[in-house]
Amino acid sequence: MSMSRIVYVNGEYLPETDAKISVFDRGFLMADAVYEVTSIIDGKILAFDGHTERLERSLSELDMKAPCSIDELLDIHRELIKRNNLTEGLVYLQVTRGIADRDFAYPDVEPSLVLFTQAKNVVNSPIAKTGMKVISIPDIRWGRRDIKTVQLLAPSMGKMAAKAAGCDDAWLVEDGFVTEGTSNNAYIVTAEGTIVTRNLGTEILAGITRAAVLRYASEAQIKIEERPFTIEEAQAAKEAFVTSATTFVGPVIEIDGAQIGDGKVGDIARRLREIYLEESLKTAI
Ligand code: PMP
């Protein structure tokens, strides 16, 4: 961990060692908090509007107050990027319901807002070149995965299971069908070249990258089917990949030990990654 970062906490820009949150903060006690992660390239924020729209939706689904306006959020992002000389990486943002005596009922208090930066090579990530190996595991998460809460223990356990198996990530399976990855949306490409990805609902997070990638795929005349698929169908697919704000399009070359296609990064995944990067840089702010 870099100990020299400046982080934002409730109106203040502080060295990370001085940035503190109360033990009575409901984010800490009850995971009563939502978050967003955006990628930064050349000091600019990718897909800011999409992420703040989803943040507003997460807040509203939980009857949580917004900590400030979207314009103020943009100012905070920019100030933090500047103060940390961040050219490439990510900004993490978290809103918690706030600080109150422990009680299951929501208190009427002011929300807490925390943002920090993380330097990272998001463009030239090794996974984009080599592809990733995934395992499948049961999806043990709660029923409102459409809300981006900080309850990340189940995905953390999934990531550890993947590591223990010598793999990079896990795909989560519910009632025989893949929901999504631990921190990304999951896709396969059929022999006919059709992209298949789980339809939106409370079972998965509506990825901001997912929306953009499906739009670019459809503009490139690639057929799309939004429906559940099984691990068996995925293992027999021509290609597989994931999307997220920080992975962009991440090729998958192995699922539960079965090689996907020729075991190399797929053409559609590579092309969509290029298009995504090129297009999202045009709207970066
Ligand atoms: N699903 C889950 C469970 C995630 O955690 C993420 C990453 N936040 C995604 C999908 C991808 O969403 P996005 O493209 O907005 O990063």
Side-chain angles (χ1 to χ4, degrees):
M1 195 160 83
S2 94
M3 298 304 280
S4 56
R5 267 178 303 186
I6 299 294
V7 311
Y8 176 93
V9 188
N10 293 327
E12 291 188 288
Y13 295 89
L14 298 166
E16 63 181 68
T17 43
D18 298 336
K20 304 266 163 59
I21 281 281
S22 165
V23 296
F24 294 103
D25 190 285
R26 288 176 60 96
F28 176 68
L29 290 179
M30 296 174 140
D32 189 354
V34 297
Y35 75 111
E36 284 295 332
V37 178
T38 47
S39 265
I40 308 301
I41 300 178
D42 295 334
K44 288 187 175 166
I45 315 157
L46 270 63
F48 182 78
D49 290 350
H51 285 279
T52 48
E53 275 163 31
R54 185 173 63 191
L55 175 67
E56 288 184 311
R57 181 182 180 278
S58 293
L59 292 170
S60 118
E61 288 299 304
L62 296 173
D63 292 323
M64 212 183 277
K65 280 188 214 164
C68 60
S69 71
I70 301 300
D71 282 348
E72 284 167 314
L73 279 184
L74 179 57
D75 288 343
I76 298 166
H77 275 76
R78 287 178 161 160
E79 185 65 26
L80 212 52
I81 290 166
K82 199 165 100 190
R83 290 191 188 223
N84 289 285
N85 296 314
L86 184 71
T87 52
E88 189 175 333
L90 59 90
V91 173
Y92 176 93
L93 171 162
Q94 180 169 331
V95 182
T96 84
R97 192 177 305 276
I99 299 154
D101 260 338
R102 190 176 180 280
D103 184 351
F104 282 79
Y106 297 164
D108 185 20
V109 290
E110 291 310 305
S112 299
L113 175 63
V114 169
L115 286 91
F116 57 80
T117 57
Q118 209 166 293
K120 195 178 175 188
N121 290 330
V122 283
V123 178
N124 290 312
S125 74
I127 238 94
K129 290 186 191 74
T130 59
M132 52 203 267
K133 296 177 180 181
V134 304
I135 58 165
S136 67
I137 56 168
D139 194 339
I140 59 167
R141 299 173 301 163
W142 78 326
R144 288 302 305 275
R145 302 160 195 154
D146 56 312
I147 310 173
K148 198 166 168 59
T149 75
V150 301
Q151 303 178 76
L152 296 175
L153 197 48
S156 293
M157 290 167 75
K159 196 84 182 175
M160 292 309 287
K163 278 181 102 173
C167 292
D168 305 290
D169 203 2
W171 279 12
L172 312 175
V173 176
E174 184 173 58
D175 299 331
F177 295 97
V178 174
T179 51
E180 57 190 332
T182 58
S183 60
N184 44 56
N185 290 113
Y187 308 72
I188 57 173
V189 180
T190 67
E192 297 76 39
T194 301
I195 293 177
V196 181
T197 193
R198 179 100 184 195
N199 47 298
L200 296 182
T202 51
E203 301 81 14
I204 65 167
L205 184 73
I208 303 308
T209 321
R210 178 188 183 280
V213 165
L214 291 184
R215 193 172 66 245
Y216 301 141
S218 122
E219 283 166 10
Q221 316 297 327
I222 301 170
K223 271 177 65 185
I224 297 156
E225 281 177 23
E226 293 182 66
R227 61 161 173 88
F229 60 86
T230 64
I231 288 294
E232 292 68 34
E233 186 180 6
Q235 288 174 319
K238 194 155 87 176
E239 291 186 33
F241 61 92
V242 297
T243 65
S244 81
T246 51
T247 307
F248 310 133
V249 178
V252 170
I253 55 161
E254 192 184 294
I255 303 172
D256 285 340
Q259 176 182 299
I260 307 307
D262 61 4
K264 299 203 179 74
V265 169
D267 291 335
I268 290 186
R270 186 186 297 111
R271 194 161 135 227
L272 285 175
R273 183 184 175 87
E274 281 168 14
I275 298 173
Y276 178 79
L277 270 166
E278 194 180 310
E279 291 299 318
S280 47
L281 277 172
K282 286 184 193 164
T283 56
I285 54 172

